[in-house]
Amino acid sequence: MPRGLNSTLKTELAKDGFRLCNLIYIDLGSGIRLTDYAHDITYSSSTYSVSDHVLSVGEPKESRELRVNTMSLSLSGVEQTYISLFLSSDYVNRQILVQKAAIAADGSIVGAPFIAFDGRLTRFEVTERKTSSEVVVEAASHWADFDKKSGRLTNNNSQQQYFPGDVGFEYAANTIRDLKWGRK
């Protein structure tokens, strides 16, 4: 059983007939909160709106190896809402949080939802067909840019970006070559 589950949720999951839903938060604009359940769900003072546009939610896998965890989320693009939202916003490195919640017979959340994935948006892709349209959003854990080197580079193009006309790094690429000082 996954770690961090409260006892009420564990009891519900031990039953034969339990229902799970996804609570999806995407940090775009004022924040998008969606659920794939049959009606709106309020949790922690936030309302997750029922949406027929949630086509599938990826299942991230945990393992013992050190690796970047990824997942994908498929949304219907027929209404164009999500396509225009992703095209018009700076989506890279925005948070996406997917929680799983057990639902009681009366439609309320049992216990507290558990986090299935907490990561950052990396890219999206729009697929158009004659009868359908789909937006596939890719996300990765915060470890995705662990090896990223931020800041300026020591090359002429980077120097020109910050100091146009300065030729201090014009021959910087030559310094990585094997220079033969005093040798023939």
Side-chain angles (χ1 to χ4, degrees):
M1 181 128 302
R3 62 192 172 277
L5 300 181
N6 65 35
S7 60
T8 309
L9 182 57
K10 287 180 183 178
T11 303
E12 183 68 21
L13 294 177
K15 296 178 182 175
D16 285 337
F18 62 87
R19 294 180 284 178
L20 284 179
C21 74
N22 290 298
L23 304 177
I24 304 163
Y25 171 74
I26 304 173
D27 181 25
L28 288 179
S30 60
I32 301 169
R33 287 179 171 80
L34 303 171
T35 183
D36 56 357
Y37 192 59
H39 59 78
D40 293 352
I41 294 179
T42 301
Y43 172 71
S44 189
S45 301
S46 297
T47 300
Y48 293 82
S49 301
V50 63
S51 178
D52 293 336
H53 298 291
V54 177
L55 301 177
S56 69
V57 179
E59 296 289 333
K61 307 242 186 304
E62 288 188 5
S63 69
R64 291 181 186 204
E65 293 89 39
L66 182 63
R67 65 182 177 90
V68 175
N69 210 359
T70 61
M71 70 154 295
S72 64
L73 172 68
S74 296
L75 303 167
S76 172
V78 172
E79 190 181 276
Q80 299 292 313
T81 304
Y82 299 110
I83 293 174
S84 63
L85 186 63
F86 278 98
L87 288 174
S88 65
S89 65
D90 182 20
Y91 67 89
V92 175
N93 280 335
R94 296 293 189 104
Q95 182 186 26
I96 181 168
L97 177 66
V98 178
Q99 299 178 85
K100 301 264 186 198
I103 306 296
D106 65 355
S108 64
I109 293 179
V110 177
F114 61 93
I115 296 173
F117 184 82
D118 186 1
R120 302 285 177 235
L121 297 175
T122 56
R123 68 182 203 92
F124 76 96
E125 181 177 287
V126 178
T127 305
E128 298 279 345
R129 295 182 193 89
K130 288 182 181 181
T131 57
S132 67
S133 177
E134 184 177 3
V135 179
V136 178
V137 179
E138 299 287 331
S141 70
H142 69 282
W143 294 107
D145 63 354
F146 184 70
D147 290 332
K148 178 181 173 185
K149 293 180 176 49
S150 299
R152 291 183 52 200
L153 302 175
T154 55
N155 62 34
N156 192 46
N157 289 339
S158 181
Q159 183 70 1
Q160 294 305 312
Q161 182 179 359
Y162 293 98
F163 302 102
D166 185 356
V167 293
F169 286 117
E170 186 175 9
Y171 299 105
N174 295 334
T175 61
I176 60 171
R177 295 189 184 135
D178 185 20
L179 299 177
K180 299 182 183 355
W181 296 96
R183 293 182 272 162
K184 292 184 179 183

